[in-house]
Amino acid sequence: MTAKYAIILAAGQGTRMKSKLYKVLHPVCGKPMVDHVLTQIEKNDIDEIVTVVGHGAQKVEATLGTRTQYVLQAEQLGTGHAVLQAEALLGDKEGMTIIACGDTPLFTAKTFEELFEYHKSKGTVATVLTATTDNPFGYGRIIRNEIGIVEKIVEQKDATKEEAAVTEINTGVYCFDNQELFHALHQIKNDNAQGEYYLTDVMEIFKKEEKIVAAYRMKDFSESMGVNDRLALAKATAVMQKRINETHMKNGVTLIDPATTYIDVDVKIGADTVIEPGVQLKGHTVIGNDCHIGAHSEIRDCVLKDGVTVTASFLEEAVMHTGSNIGPYSHLRPQADIGEGVHIGNFVEVKKAQIGKNTKVGHLTYVGDATLGKDINVGCGTVFVNYDGINKHHTNVGDYSFIGSGSNIIAPVQIADHAYVAAGSTVTEDVDAHDMAIARSRQVNKKGYFDHYPVAQAAAEAEKAENK
């Protein structure tokens, strides 16, 4: 079996992005561009992958981790020079090597596979992945002879008028006989408009040596889109988003308005789930079957089991179990764990709290650093007071308890099963099972106070006028 290698070019700074973030690390649908490229290459059972880094090397390596080896291109002297940096790792090995750029996030594993297979079937020293487009400006042109064999690749700045009119373009992806590649790289020169060592110049070297270069023309030009500025980043994101949304719909997910639904590439969604307009599903979110995600909800790195309903709410790093629901206008913060059948109403915030089966937290409530049992009712305006200014403290509330509206539960405190907290209480001590806690001052009515109120005279005159 022929060995397969891959080199990813990720050394450029990307000055046209006008960003502190290095170009290949700009995200497309939730994943850095270079990660998209690596992920698709990995699916082809590659024996060794080498990523050429330069600007932002440490951050690129931190992003990709141990999934690839790394070599440093200290000076940016062109694509040919960049590939040559991998010689110490790959130069003497037999096999096929695919080369791709870290700023081309739309290539698919299938395209890379087809390129490998085409190259192998033709038995050539090099195969260029090409595409055709009505607007080839900015791309290298594929120049063929009269019988269709690739003669050379001409960069935009070096192209003659006739060459610039060619509509078959170089996508920047190649497959080489590995040893032939490094043999030719030592012969390229930098006598061109950019003063750089072009990888594409190896094609003319192969031609002089009477070695055949093939070209595999892919069908979908959009895959070849490179990202050099924010405009291209937006276009690539739109293409990727359309691809993601169509995949989910084919798998049985209903997107009411795909054009306004934003789903990151690693999100998983079960069948018969309905996604309303304006929804954003981010990170590694997993949504089960038969869920309903209401308009303008944002869900990031969460797990939603089957039959969950989210109405216009923001969820991050939280879990919602089967049949639970939330919203509108509520917020689950990290480590919120919402049990089966739990109701989280409107304007509720939950942070680092576990809420048991069938408990109801209706509205205008904060639950932080707490464990709530099953079948509890938490009244409107309740606050779990978890922070003393220095440390966070935990509260436990037992099964079948009742927390009256407007209560402050000041942690640390234990409220047992079947306990009752009267509305308006500030609870600072434990409450035993079947007991009721009342923690509020006694009501005092001041007789005739209204008559001394500053607006009393105006109110009296208004009332007198109404009665005439």
Side-chain angles (χ1 to χ4, degrees):
M1 184 175 178
T2 305
K4 293 190 289 188
Y5 310 104
I7 299 173
I8 301 174
L9 305 182
Q13 184 175 12
T15 55
R16 281 181 281 174
M17 297 296 289
K18 293 182 169 51
S19 174
K20 295 182 291 295
L21 184 66
Y22 299 103
K23 180 171 70 169
V24 298
L25 295 180
H26 278 266
V28 172
C29 295
K31 182 180 288 188
M33 291 191 286
V34 67
D35 196 342
H36 279 291
V37 177
L38 176 58
T39 297
Q40 298 305 312
I41 285 176
E42 286 174 323
K43 294 178 181 179
N44 281 274
D45 298 322
I46 307 298
D47 293 278
E48 289 186 55
I49 303 173
V50 178
T51 299
V52 182
V53 295
H55 293 287
Q58 291 182 337
K59 291 186 177 180
V60 174
E61 291 178 26
T63 298
L64 302 182
T66 58
R67 296 158 59 194
T68 172
Q69 301 180 79
Y70 301 94
V71 293
L72 178 68
Q73 186 188 22
E75 293 184 88
Q76 311 301 294
L77 300 179
T79 52
H81 176 260
V83 174
L84 194 57
Q85 307 313 301
E87 185 176 30
L89 295 177
L90 300 179
D92 61 347
K93 297 182 178 180
E94 294 183 355
M96 302 180 291
T97 297
I98 199 168
I99 297 176
C101 296
D103 60 358
T104 53
L106 298 175
F107 283 112
T108 64
K110 187 174 186 295
T111 296
F112 290 138
E113 179 185 13
E114 290 172 351
L115 178 60
F116 269 127
E117 291 302 317
Y118 186 87
H119 175 79
K120 186 176 180 181
S121 69
K122 294 298 181 182
T124 58
V125 293
T127 303
V128 186
L129 182 65
T130 74
T132 56
T133 175
D134 294 335
N135 182 18
F137 183 82
Y139 291 91
R141 307 303 201 279
I142 303 298
I143 308 303
R144 297 176 183 263
N145 64 17
E146 63 279 359
I147 61 172
I149 295 175
V150 175
E151 291 278 310
K152 60 181 177 177
I153 302 172
V154 180
E155 299 300 323
Q156 173 73 44
K157 292 184 178 181
D158 299 309
T160 65
K161 184 177 179 180
E162 291 76 17
E163 290 169 338
V166 173
T167 59
E168 184 180 10
I169 58 94
N170 174 22
T171 67
V173 176
Y174 315 88
C175 191
F176 291 97
D177 175 282
N178 188 66
Q179 292 181 342
E180 292 281 5
L181 167 64
F182 288 102
H183 163 73
L185 283 173
H186 284 284
Q187 302 178 56
I188 60 176
K189 302 183 183 302
N190 65 343
D191 49 354
N192 51 61
Q194 293 287 87
E196 295 182 351
Y197 296 92
Y198 293 150
L199 175 60
T200 51
D201 285 350
V202 301
M203 307 307 174
E204 289 196 67
I205 292 170
F206 290 144
K207 179 188 172 184
K208 290 176 182 177
E209 296 177 348
E210 298 184 348
K211 296 171 181 175
I212 297 175
V213 175
Y216 175 67
R217 188 180 305 178
M218 65 181 190
K219 296 178 182 178
D220 186 359
F221 167 73
S222 69
E223 283 192 35
S224 68
M225 187 184 302
V227 175
N228 291 313
D229 57 27
R230 306 292 181 129
L231 297 176
L233 183 66
K235 291 177 181 177
T237 299
V239 172
M240 178 75 75
Q241 192 62 80
K242 185 174 183 290
R243 184 189 298 173
I244 292 169
N245 289 359
E246 287 178 354
T247 298
H248 285 299
M249 289 187 286
K250 289 175 182 177
N251 289 336
V253 178
T254 296
L255 304 185
I256 302 298
D257 184 8
T260 62
T261 303
Y262 302 93
I263 304 174
D264 280 353
V265 66
D266 289 324
V267 171
K268 295 178 173 58
I269 309 173
D272 290 317
T273 285
V274 176
I275 312 291
E276 293 187 353
V279 168
Q280 299 181 57
L281 305 178
K282 298 183 176 181
H284 290 81
T285 291
V286 177
I287 297 176
N289 300 322
D290 302 298
C291 295
H292 193 109
I293 312 301
H296 308 297
S297 295
E298 181 176 338
I299 303 174
R300 179 188 306 151
D301 292 316
C302 292
V303 175
L304 276 58
K305 304 293 186 177
D306 296 345
V308 168
T309 298
V310 177
T311 305
S313 293
F314 177 38
L315 286 58
E316 50 180 334
E317 298 176 37
V319 177
M320 293 188 69
H321 291 272
T322 303
S324 57
N325 65 84
I326 185 171
Y329 313 120
S330 288
H331 183 188
L332 296 186
R333 290 169 58 191
Q335 299 182 56
D337 190 323
I338 310 303
E340 290 185 22
V342 167
H343 168 63
I344 304 292
N346 53 301
F347 299 103
V348 174
E349 182 175 344
V350 181
K351 186 272 298 183
K352 199 178 180 182
Q354 183 174 353
I355 300 180
K357 184 177 181 179
N358 294 331
T359 286
K360 295 177 174 57
V361 185
H363 32 255
L364 299 165
T365 291
Y366 171 71
V367 183
D369 293 274
T371 300
L372 278 62
K374 64 182 179 180
D375 291 287
I376 297 168
N377 185 83
V378 179
C380 175
T382 296
V383 177
F384 283 74
V385 184
N386 58 330
Y387 184 51
D388 64 9
I390 299 175
N391 298 308
K392 298 288 181 70
H393 301 279
H394 198 83
T395 293
N396 292 310
V397 181
D399 299 342
Y400 304 104
S401 295
F402 183 94
I403 310 297
S405 297
S407 296
N408 294 308
I409 312 299
I410 301 182
V413 70
Q414 307 290 321
I415 299 175
D417 295 350
H418 301 279
Y420 193 105
V421 174
S425 294
T426 297
V427 177
T428 58
E429 298 179 4
D430 294 351
V431 183
D432 293 333
H434 298 278
D435 286 357
M436 180 174 74
I438 304 176
R440 58 195 183 204
S441 61
R442 184 179 298 275
Q443 180 174 328
V444 176
N445 294 341
K446 299 291 186 180
K447 189 173 181 62
Y449 176 81
F450 182 81
D451 296 336
H452 302 285
Y453 194 59
V455 296
Q457 187 63 40
E461 290 178 0
E463 185 177 11
K464 189 181 295 183
E466 286 179 4
N467 292 334
K468 283 184 178 181

